[in-house]
Amino acid sequence: MFMTIARPAVEPQGPDTVAVPGSPAIPELSPRALHARLLENAALRRMRGAERLRSNRLEDADYWLHAAPVAVRKACALREEKSFAPLP
């Protein structure tokens, strides 16, 4: 049986961030993108906590519902540190 190595449809541009030693695996985000990601993380934690409550997994629900405000506090701290416009 003859086998060939297929090339990917999309070629990476520049160095591969995972393959280059010492480079970060996740690219640096802008402060606004990081803020949005933290708020999304908090929302996902709340949704997971509500899901756990519906399935009567109270210990898991407590964990996720108490973990959500941590992401919100980090987002608020980032907002103050980078001097975004204040939230209403």
Side-chain angles (χ1 to χ4, degrees):
M1 174 184 232
F2 181 71
M3 295 176 64
T4 62
I5 297 173
R7 298 195 55 81
V10 177
E11 292 288 334
Q13 299 293 322
D16 183 7
T17 57
V18 177
V20 177
S23 67
I26 299 173
E28 291 293 322
L29 297 174
S30 70
R32 290 192 185 277
L34 182 58
H35 184 260
R37 183 174 284 182
L38 288 169
L39 292 178
E40 178 189 19
N41 189 352
L44 291 172
R45 289 175 181 194
R46 284 189 191 109
M47 288 178 8
R48 186 169 287 143
E51 175 189 324
R52 297 299 196 264
L53 275 176
R54 285 192 301 271
S55 61
N56 285 332
R57 296 175 61 184
L58 301 180
E59 289 180 8
D60 286 347
D62 285 344
Y63 170 79
W64 288 111
L65 293 174
H66 286 92
V70 173
V72 173
R73 280 195 295 275
K74 285 182 181 179
C76 290
L78 175 71
R79 192 169 190 87
E80 291 172 2
E81 176 187 329
K82 299 295 182 182
S83 68
F84 290 1
L87 290 173

